[in-house]
Amino acid sequence: MATGGTSSSSEEGFLSRMALNDNKAGMEGLNRDKINKIIMESSKGSRFYENELKKEQQVNQRIERMMLQKAHITEQQLSKAQAQVEKMTSDLERGRDLSRVIVHVDMDAFYAAVETRDCPDLMDKPMAVGSMSMLSTSNYHARKFGVRAAMPGFIAKKLCPNLVIVPTNFDKYRAVSAEVREVFADYDPHFLPMSLDEAYLDISDHLEQRRGWPEALRTHRLRLHTNNTGTTWSISLPLSLYPSSSPCLQDAAGGEVEVFGTCAEEAVREMRFRIEQKTSLTASAGIAPNMMLAKVCSDKNKPNGQYKLSSNRQAVIDFIQDLPVRKVSGIGKVTEKMLGALGITSCSHLGQEMALLALLFSETSWHHFLHISMGLGSTHIERDGERKSMSTERTFGEMSALKEQFSLCRELCQDLAQDLQKEALKGKTVTLKLKNVNFEVKTRAWTLPCAVATTEELFAVAKDLLKTEIDNVSPQPLRLRLMGVRVSSFASADDKKPLQKSIVGFLHKKQTNSSSTSQISHKPVKEHLPKPPGLTQPSACPSLNTNTSAETHISMSALTASDKMTHEPTAHASTSSCCSTEPESGTDSLTCPVCFREVNTTELTVFNRHIDQCLSGVTMGQNNHTDTELERGPSVCEEEEEEDEKTGGKREEGAMEKGRELLSRCMLDSVGLQLDSSAGDHTESTTGPALTCPVCQETQDTNDLTLFNLHVDLCLNQEVLHELGGLAPVDRTTHTAPPAAHKGLCFRDVLFTE
DNA sequence: GGGGGAAGGACCA
DNA sequence: TTCCTGGTCCTTCCCCC
């Protein structure tokens, strides 16, 4: 039921949001009114409906603000914007590239088609793949009833009582997708898959080669297929579905063959033919000079069809003229509605109102609109760069019990940790996503100074974020219907490189450390530095390895933590001189990884003592190192020191304590890493002083680093388990870190076991 | 005022 | 009775420097 005060006009508006989106192949000419009535009746009064109503109102408010803004635009502003648009238009026009042949291939009703292929009984029935909660796709029979992807199954059933709902089988779809991709690769080895059933290809190079191909290379034989019931049938479709200039011939064995031509349309027709031969599934394709247009074109003759847009400017402009904005990828229901409020429904309108759009929308948005209105898009297909985030989430019936919530949280962290491990990723930002029973979504994120990846590390952060949310609604229970955990801010490729074999490398004289300088110096210094520990971070750096001993020190990505704490200061030390290509020579000093100062000694014993003092805080009175110093490094350190003198050195000691602790912990990571790398080389590792465990502080009766590592692992695990009980996110209003168990960490003996 | 993190939302398949 | 999942990008807000 609509909330009080809901006017009929807002319901009308709401209907546009909830109503059938028939912007999909196979859904033209439906009885929209009848379908929408059923959808509304099924949805009204539900929490989902209420939430949609709320979102609709927010969009309406956005539109109102926009219209108000529009009313205040002066002629002068408009003409200025017009000049700006015109300049940009001519710049873009000059750069227009019509030389590439881009193809967008989309499998027809993919999941449904796979299921139908494997169960021909479904052939003539309306069917959908998914569940009563949600459908992934539907076949063309079902679409005639208004049943489509992203529709709940129970509503679909009301629209089409005879609908057969088949559960999803992603393993099967992945296998078929792999077969399809094998065909794609023959036309563009660098094709860009967008999902299991969709890809972009640049076939320009293929066409170049194809022109010189003999007919035999362009001839494909029709094959017989056998389905899983043992029935054999010819999968050759009527040739009319493959309109071609080339004849259908018979080969020597009497089988039918198809000869394809050399032009783009023929190449794509051949590709679709081969996909169909290989998988018994049909695909549709669009051929155009860029990705944006190819995507629109692939929808033109769906299903089992293709459309080519000529590579000349006028053809592109003509094609764009009457294209509804909603057909363009990237323009969804909200943008469509906002543009609609300005009277813009087609791409030609978009072009006409560009000056207005430049004043009402952000630069990114109106630039995007301008590209669309000119029919411009990317002509360079490149695979996505590095992954930006990884997440897992789960929807369930109402969950209010704390125990269940924390247990699920841990499960999600575990799943995510496994996924991260598969791709050897570690990230610094952990985000908890919660959707309550009213469909309100909240995300709560925390960024750590070190990259994390294990279940315990993720859970340590996620559970604190969850706890905070639970506390916020207390004494009411947190009534959830979805929970998710995401990790982002992955360590960059640079960070992953083993810049330094061990922390000892860092302690070498600066001139010996040119490699790390060259790796890092091109980036702004600040980017590489950890946030001031204890100032904005939640809890003890969970990058403490909590893995089992087998994996504790070998993780490559663990380098990120050590990089942050060991390489960066080095980079820092060299940053001051990085502009000079001349390495500093003749320096008889070592740089302290804690205070970043140069210690005038090359004696490790003396230097060790200095580090110990820095870490234990004994020298605080003399040093007054602050977290800010830790962040900025030596060049700023001195200025701060002067400032400190002026301000009487009043700094937050608690924060400093945290900073030292955090630093110590992150350095422990480095130590672990070093130990492990040395552990692989026993000839080097079995000499040296007795080893003192940096966690329990006890001297171990062994020189064997493998054994010693095992001991440290055990101690660390215990330490972390202890900590997991007491982590609390930082109070963002006061910016103080939560208390965490601090141990005066002395890892000198471990550091210098060379 | 700019940079950057957090939060939320749009959009896609 | 019942409305997904996993990802990217963008905008807005706020804090800090």
Side-chain angles (χ1 to χ4, degrees):
Chain A
M1 213 175 17
T3 47
T6 303
S7 66
S8 60
S9 65
S10 76
E11 280 206 10
E12 222 169 78
F14 174 52
L15 196 68
S16 76
R17 186 182 180 89
M18 282 287 283
L20 174 78
N21 173 4
D22 56 5
N23 178 32
K24 185 96 183 158
M27 304 198 81
E28 302 81 9
L30 302 184
N31 186 343
R32 285 193 61 162
D33 289 346
K34 188 182 164 198
I35 292 169
N36 283 332
K37 194 164 172 252
I38 297 174
I39 294 176
M40 287 299 281
E41 278 168 4
S42 308
S43 311
K44 240 177 171 177
S46 68
R47 288 189 171 115
F48 178 79
Y49 180 99
E50 291 298 320
N51 192 252
E52 285 296 298
L53 193 60
K54 208 182 332 177
K55 287 200 271 186
E56 179 70 19
Q57 282 164 357
Q58 281 167 4
V59 173
N60 287 341
Q61 282 166 9
R62 249 178 97 179
I63 291 173
E64 274 172 35
R65 284 198 299 272
M66 181 180 75
M67 298 311 276
L68 207 65
Q69 213 180 330
K70 186 192 167 201
H72 286 92
I73 291 173
T74 63
E75 279 300 319
Q76 199 184 4
Q77 285 173 316
L78 208 57
S79 52
K80 198 179 162 195
Q82 185 62 40
Q84 201 185 352
V85 167
E86 276 166 19
K87 183 178 180 309
M88 189 159 179
T89 306
S90 64
D91 286 351
L92 288 172
E93 194 56 62
R94 271 197 300 278
R96 189 190 287 274
D97 180 4
L98 295 164
S99 67
R100 309 305 296 179
V101 182
I102 309 293
V103 181
H104 177 254
V105 189
D106 197 353
M107 299 298 292
D108 301 321
F110 187 51
Y111 302 165
V114 172
E115 296 301 340
T116 305
R117 179 194 70 173
D118 295 348
C119 179
D121 284 352
L122 295 169
M123 191 78 79
D124 299 316
K125 293 178 183 155
M127 67 87 74
V129 178
S131 66
M132 282 302 257
S133 309
M134 190 52 64
L135 302 180
S136 293
T137 191
S138 57
N139 69 5
Y140 284 82
H141 294 300
R143 288 183 196 185
K144 291 196 184 93
F145 293 86
V147 174
R148 57 160 297 162
M151 175 180 276
F154 73 94
I155 291 180
K157 274 277 194 186
K158 284 183 181 164
L159 290 169
C160 175
N162 293 327
L163 182 75
V164 179
I165 298 180
V166 179
T168 50
N169 183 344
F170 281 98
D171 287 341
K172 192 156 73 177
Y173 311 144
R174 264 190 287 270
V176 181
S177 179
E179 289 183 79
V180 174
R181 288 177 186 186
E182 279 173 21
V183 177
F184 290 160
D186 286 344
Y187 296 84
D188 176 11
H190 307 294
F191 73 92
L192 173 65
M194 299 304 288
S195 61
L196 287 180
D197 72 325
E198 201 182 315
Y200 286 98
L201 295 84
D202 180 344
I203 60 166
S204 316
D205 295 345
H206 168 82
L207 291 175
E208 193 84 3
Q209 293 169 12
R210 192 182 176 90
R211 276 186 212 114
W213 280 7
E215 203 173 273
L217 280 177
R218 294 180 275 110
T219 304
H220 296 270
R221 183 183 300 159
L222 290 166
R223 281 206 315 249
L224 290 180
H225 277 237
T226 305
N227 69 11
N228 57 6
T229 61
T231 316
T232 302
W233 82 103
S234 165
I235 58 123
S236 91
L237 290 168
L239 285 176
S240 59
L241 283 175
Y242 296 100
S244 163
S245 55
S246 57
C248 176
L249 306 168
Q250 289 211 327
D251 68 359
E256 279 190 3
V257 295
E258 175 91 14
V259 182
F260 296 88
T262 56
C263 66
E265 280 146 301
E266 283 294 289
V268 171
R269 200 173 63 82
E270 178 192 272
M271 187 197 313
R272 292 174 42 236
F273 174 85
R274 289 180 58 200
I275 290 171
E276 199 263 346
Q277 292 284 296
K278 195 166 186 162
T279 66
S280 312
L281 303 171
T282 61
S284 298
I287 310 161
N290 65 52
M291 290 167 78
M292 187 273 280
L293 294 170
K295 166 90 180 164
V296 178
C297 288
S298 70
D299 203 46
K300 270 270 186 195
N301 286 327
K302 243 180 178 309
N304 198 16
Q306 63 183 57
Y307 182 89
K308 180 175 186 289
L309 175 59
S310 298
S311 288
N312 70 72
R313 186 182 172 275
Q314 196 51 51
V316 170
I317 300 299
D318 292 345
F319 181 78
I320 279 294
Q321 281 303 298
D322 299 323
L323 189 70
V325 286
R326 187 68 161 93
K327 288 274 179 190
V328 178
S329 178
I331 297 190
K333 57 186 170 192
V334 174
T335 314
E336 180 190 30
K337 192 170 179 183
M338 292 189 74
L339 291 174
L342 296 168
I344 299 168
T345 53
S346 71
C347 293
S348 56
H349 292 151
L350 211 54
Q352 288 155 17
E353 301 292 344
M354 222 44 240
L356 180 64
L357 295 171
L359 291 168
L360 294 175
F361 287 81
S362 71
E363 196 176 79
T364 319
S365 299
W366 78 260
H367 282 187
H368 181 219
F369 294 147
L370 183 57
H371 276 80
I372 293 169
S373 72
M374 295 177 72
L376 295 170
S378 177
T379 53
H380 183 58
I381 291 176
E382 51 184 343
R383 293 213 178 216
D384 281 345
E386 287 185 9
R387 175 195 277 277
K388 306 270 186 344
S389 68
M390 186 183 269
S391 65
T392 186
E393 61 189 57
R394 224 166 282 168
T395 299
F396 34 81
E398 179 174 341
M399 183 189 280
S400 311
L402 292 187
K403 201 178 162 190
E404 268 184 292
Q405 290 173 347
F406 280 107
S407 164
L408 174 69
C409 183
R410 174 177 267 279
E411 258 177 58
L412 290 167
C413 290
Q414 198 168 1
D415 290 352
L416 186 56
Q418 278 170 9
D419 291 345
L420 288 165
Q421 200 178 10
K422 279 180 205 155
E423 295 189 29
L425 290 170
K426 269 192 160 190
K428 289 196 280 184
T429 304
V430 179
T431 306
L432 179 74
K433 178 178 175 180
L434 302 172
K435 193 192 272 182
N436 66 19
V437 288
N438 293 324
F439 290 86
E440 291 160 345
V441 180
K442 271 199 174 88
T443 56
R444 294 288 177 264
W446 203 269
T447 303
L448 298 152
C450 326
V452 296
T454 67
T455 305
E456 297 306 338
E457 289 167 341
L458 298 174
F459 184 58
V461 181
K463 88 166 180 18
D464 285 340
L465 294 170
L466 175 60
K467 189 172 176 298
T468 308
E469 289 311 303
I470 290 170
D471 291 346
N472 281 347
V473 296
S474 177
Q476 299 297 315
L478 191 60
R479 301 171 64 196
L480 299 176
R481 74 178 326 277
L482 172 146
M483 191 188 292
V485 182
R486 181 166 76 231
V487 169
S488 52
S489 311
F490 291 133
S492 71
D494 278 358
D495 289 342
K496 285 181 188 170
K497 287 177 191 164
L499 301 181
Q500 231 167 300
K501 197 177 175 187
S502 73
I503 195 167
V504 178
F506 159 71
L507 299 163
H508 281 333
K509 289 179 220 170
K510 279 186 277 184
Q511 69 267 30
T512 63
N513 211 353
S514 56
S515 68
S516 66
T517 309
S518 64
Q519 290 282 356
I520 300 176
S521 59
H522 67 283
K523 285 190 178 178
V525 168
K526 196 170 178 182
E527 218 178 297
H528 289 277
L529 293 168
K531 291 289 291 177
L535 282 178
T536 57
Q537 305 306 334
S539 40
C541 171
S543 121
L544 254 183
N545 261 307
T546 56
N547 301 357
T548 56
S549 59
E551 61 176 312
T552 299
H553 298 308
I554 56 172
S555 161
M556 185 67 165
S557 42
L559 255 181
T560 54
S562 56
D563 281 349
K564 295 285 172 239
M565 307 311 286
T566 63
H567 301 274
E568 285 162 358
T570 319
H572 240 323
S574 17
T575 306
S576 52
S577 61
C578 71
C579 302
S580 156
T581 49
E582 294 286 315
E584 283 181 32
S585 57
T587 323
D588 287 323
S589 65
L590 294 166
T591 309
C592 172
V594 183
C595 68
F596 302 126
R597 292 176 181 195
E598 292 191 6
V599 181
N600 286 327
T601 182
T602 51
E603 272 290 311
L604 288 183
T605 343
V606 178
F607 187 50
N608 281 343
R609 201 176 305 133
H610 170 91
I611 294 176
D612 278 354
Q613 285 174 338
C614 278
L615 284 170
S616 62
V618 169
T619 59
M620 247 181 67
Q622 298 114 42
N623 285 346
N624 268 340
H625 302 327
T626 65
D627 301 292
T628 321
E629 283 173 13
L630 294 182
E631 181 193 23
R632 293 187 197 159
S635 55
V636 190
C637 191
E638 283 158 26
E639 290 167 23
E640 294 259 10
E641 203 168 37
E642 282 170 26
E643 197 190 319
D644 265 7
E645 277 170 24
K646 288 177 205 158
T647 60
K650 283 179 187 169
R651 302 264 172 180
E652 277 184 67
E653 292 199 5
M656 293 166 66
E657 186 76 2
K658 290 298 138 225
R660 277 189 298 276
E661 182 193 332
L662 201 54
L663 183 59
S664 312
R665 285 170 180 280
C666 286
M667 290 190 83
L668 264 177
D669 245 6
S670 327
V671 175
L673 206 77
Q674 189 223 330
L675 279 173
D676 199 60
S677 59
S678 336
D681 192 349
H682 282 253
T683 52
E684 278 180 23
S685 62
T686 49
T687 55
L691 299 169
T692 301
C693 172
V695 184
C696 70
Q697 307 282 303
E698 285 170 14
T699 306
Q700 299 302 301
D701 192 20
T702 179
N703 274 338
D704 186 314
L705 285 182
T706 315
L707 287 176
F708 183 68
N709 271 344
L710 274 172
H711 169 86
V712 176
D713 280 348
L714 284 170
C715 280
L716 281 175
N717 283 340
Q718 282 174 15
E719 177 85 347
V720 168
L721 282 175
H722 170 73
E723 288 234 347
L724 283 176
L727 291 178
V730 78
D731 179 346
R732 292 178 61 212
T733 51
T734 58
H735 297 285
T736 51
H742 174 74
K743 285 200 174 203
L745 296 166
C746 165
F747 48 86
R748 174 188 63 183
D749 295 316
V750 183
L751 272 180
F752 305 116
T753 313
E754 265 192 321

